[in-house]
Structures are given as C-alpha cells and as structure tokens.
Amino acid sequence: MDSENVFQHLLQIIERYHENLTQGRYVAYHEPEALYNLLQLDEQTEGDWNKLFEWVEKYLTYAVKTGNPAYVNRMWAGANLPSIIGEIVTAVSNTSACTFETAPVSTLMEQYMLREMLALVRFEDGVGQMTTGSSNANMIVMMAARNVACEKGKSCGLFGQSRLCAFVNRDAHYSMDRAAAILGIGTDNLIKIATDSHGRMDLVDLEQQIVRVKEEGAIPFFVAATAGTTVRGAYDAIEPMLALREQYGFWLHVDGAWGGAAILSDTLRSRYLSHVEDADSFTLDFHKMLGTALMCNVVLFNKRPSILQQICSAGDESYIFRKGVGGELRDLGSQSLQCGRKVDALKWFLDWKFYGRKGLAERVEEYLQLCMYAEERIHAEAELEMVVPRESFNVCFRYKAPPGESAGDFNIRLRNRMQQKERGLVGTGYVDGQLALRLLVTNFNVGKPELDTFFENILLTGREIIEA
Ligand SMILES: *Cc1c(COP(=O)(O)O)cnc(C)c1O
C-alpha cells in the first residue's frame, strides 16, 4: 500500500467498524497483562502502512464499543454521525481554534453556536465559550465569581483577602472540589450542602451555612446548583436560590453538564430548569446526552458581556493575537485557558444543523420515556429493586442480595461478571452510602428491546452468581 491508498483503506475499516457497532459484544474483554501481550507494542513497523493498519485494526478490535447498546456505563455513549464527520475533517485539516487567522471558519462557527446557545438559554447580553468539558467550565465560572467577589484577585492574587466560601450540593460533581483547590479557595471552603429526600440541595441548610460563614467573617461568593446530579439525577431548585442571591449577593451557577440537556425541550425545561435564565452562568456538555463526539462543552455567562475578557484574558498584546480592523476581538483564544485549542466547533455545528433543536429535544424526551420504562421493569422483577426512586434520567437500582451477603458486595460482583462475560458495562455510584447500579440511557441505539436485553443479562448474571 502506498500513501495514496491510505484514505480508501481507512474508510473501509471505519465503515466495517461502524456497521458492526450495534451487533455483537461491546468489548473483547482482557485483563491488562493479557491485552498487553496481544498488542505486541514492541514490534518494529517503521514506514510500513500495512503494519500501521494492523495497529488500527487491533485498536478497534480491543477497544470498548461505546456505541453498542450494552454499554450503559457513562454519561456519553457512541457519537452522532455528523459530529464524527466533523472530527475526521478537523483531524485532516489540523489547526488551532485559537486565532481567526489560523481557524477562520471554526471561529465563526463557534461564535454562531454561542449566539444560538445564549438565545436558547435566554441569557441576554451574555457571552460564552467552548471549553474542554464541564470540569473546566465549572472552574472557569468559579474563577469568574472569585474575581467578581475579589476585584483585585486577577492581578494581586488572594493575599490578605477574606476567606471565600463556595456552596454546592453534597452530591455535586468532584470537579467542584478540584476547582476550589486550583483557584486558591481550598476544598475546606467548598461547603457541601445536605440534600432533601429527592437529592436536591436543602435550602434551609444552604442559608444556615451562608449565615454561619458570614458570621465567621468569610464571604459566601458562589453557589452552584446542579441540574442533574451525576449519580441520582436530582435537579436543584433554582428559583429559591435566586431569592437567596438577592439577599446575600453570591454568584449563582447552574451545572447542567448532564441534565442541562433538558433545555432543548420546552416541556422538560419548565419541569427541570425553571428560572435558569436568571442564573449568572450555565454549562452544558453536548458530548453527554446530546451525543456530540467527545469533547464538546459550552459555558455561558448572563448579562456580563465582558466577563471572560476581564477574568480569562491574557496575552492580548503578545505575539499571537490580532484585533480586527475596527479593534474588535477576533481571536477566541485570548479568552480561553488554553493556547492551542482543538477545533470542536465544526462537529458541534454539524450536529446542530443536522438534528436541529427539535430533533435533539425529541431525543431527550425519548430518553426520559425509556428511563421510565426501565424503572417499571425493575419494579416488575422480583430480584431487582430501586435503590432510590428515579428523579429524572438516572436509574439507580440493584439486584437483591442473597441472605448473608451485603447488597454492595453482591452488586459489585454482578457488575464485574457482566463485564468479564462481555454482556454489558453498567456504572455504579453511591446513594446515601449504598451502592447502586446506575443505568443511563444516553445512546440513540438503545430502545425498549435493548433495555430488555440488558435486564435479562442482569438477571442471568445474578442467578449464576447465586447458583455457583
Ligand atoms: C459529567 C459531569 C461533569 C464533568 O463534565 P466533563 O465534561 O466530563 O468534564 C460536571 N458536572 C456534572 C454534574 C457532571 O455530570
């Protein structure tokens, strides 16, 4: 094979992989050592295209087929075809979405999509950015809030500054802890708020904690509502937090990494995200429920059009950034945490143009129906039980352990056996200290028949363990 045939060959491989994605096993399971031996990574193959494609084939043979319906492990699964096309074109044209001069089309596409998203969320006079994911989005937002609370923070640091305190649902994503650590807030000053029986932040506890830190002389500068907690899928109530913001003057962020996808559907928006348009910031991962290829995130700021420039910008007069003829900002990179930026806008734009808001809204609504169906199935099976009632999209359940074994240990064994037998990969999480199998429907290849197969495999595996 010469380099001219490379694309033809590659496309054949990709096509075959994609055709077989939903059939057969989701993985060819091997322990790390066995896999290492199979891969023969030490082999010398310089300059040999045929050998190179053997590596590609090996990669695909042993990789986890995340688009397979048996893969219900994480908040993302598979990817939309338009965005896969976008990824391929992005790779072929390899540039950095840092400056207009190196990435003219992607800059305009990103700006276009940001305007679409601001309008969708109904943030007026806002600003947005694509980031590498909600972990970083949460950190950027916390940094913005910190520098608003502490005006000289960007230039002088936090020296001599009153203690700053942030507040989150105790089930909030761990990226909040990391953000507090990186930003000099300190994880002890990230206050975890108790939850009510639905897994939502307890507002009485929130206010008491705010009052307590104020009495101690600290500044309550940041509250993050989680729109869809990672394990339970609980949505913090935004409206009562707006009243508290009025009183205490903090920044109110909504972390919609997972459940923010409800914003696409008017029905689900009013049910789960009521008053989000009054928050100070909002983040949403398009690479989770909405199926855009990893990574695809947007963070949006309300009513503060120059906040990113104030808090993030650096290098404005340096070697790299150029203003437009009228002095306008042309380079998205000057406001980003990164210098090199992978082009994520093309795949995002292609998905948006192909499915449209309506198509994506229907998908999210359909996922919710399937989650309801899954919950019904669990109630109907004598061997299964919900660990907590379903709040939204997350289905937290378990197999009832036989007498003498803890439910946690049994379900870990069940989960591992499912994986080793290549029957499926399901996530786990802890709800009030109890282990739950966390089923997430976030794959458009999953419908009722696929859920039926999933539960049949759970029941089969549980019975095997009990009978062994
Ligand atoms: C997944 C998730 C995150 C992290 O998002 P990444 O894009 O993986 O960095 C943050 N918050 C919540 C609520 C999440 O579910």
Side-chain angles (χ1 to χ4, degrees), residues 183-332:
L183 294 171
I185 307 296
T187 51
D188 287 351
N189 296 314
L190 180 77
I191 316 253
K192 308 282 173 77
I193 302 300
T195 51
D196 65 12
S197 61
H198 293 273
R200 299 174 299 208
M201 241 196 273
D202 176 340
L203 297 157
V204 176
D205 189 38
L206 174 61
E207 184 162 14
Q208 279 172 356
Q209 300 285 351
I210 290 173
V211 170
R212 177 180 64 80
V213 305
K214 270 178 79 90
E215 281 167 6
E216 292 167 4
I219 303 170
F221 80 108
F222 179 79
V223 175
T226 306
T229 52
T230 310
V231 176
R232 275 191 76 173
Y235 282 81
D236 285 329
I238 299 168
E239 192 180 9
M241 291 186 196
L242 293 167
L244 291 175
R245 179 181 68 179
E246 195 67 33
Q247 199 173 344
Y248 298 102
F250 51 74
W251 178 294
L252 181 61
H253 173 56
V254 178
D255 176 3
W258 164 240
I263 198 92
L264 275 308
S265 147
D266 287 336
T267 331
L268 298 185
R269 176 186 182 136
S270 58
R271 180 154 155 204
Y272 292 121
L273 293 168
S274 177
H275 289 86
V276 67
E277 63 278 8
D278 295 318
D280 293 292
S281 52
F282 176 70
T283 184
L284 164 62
D285 273 336
F286 260 71
H287 64 237
K288 287 183 172 172
M289 223 182 286
L290 303 172
T292 301
L294 288 158
M295 310 288 291
C296 188
N297 169 272
V298 59
V299 60
L300 302 168
F301 294 85
N302 201 6
K303 297 195 178 80
R304 288 184 173 98
S306 54
I307 186 82
L308 280 171
Q309 215 168 346
Q310 287 163 23
I311 58 147
C312 270
S313 75
D316 281 344
E317 304 300 327
S318 73
Y319 69 103
I320 189 167
F321 301 121
R322 312 264 180 278
K323 293 252 159 63
V325 198
E328 76 279 10
L329 186 93
R330 292 170 35 151
D331 299 333
L332 299 176

Side-chain angles (χ1 to χ4, degrees), residues 354-371:
F354 188 79
Y355 298 106
R357 177 182 171 187
K358 188 159 167 281
L360 293 174
E362 282 165 6
R363 182 186 300 190
V364 177
E365 286 164 6
E366 168 72 12
Y367 285 164
L368 192 63
Q369 294 297 319
L370 289 169
C371 294

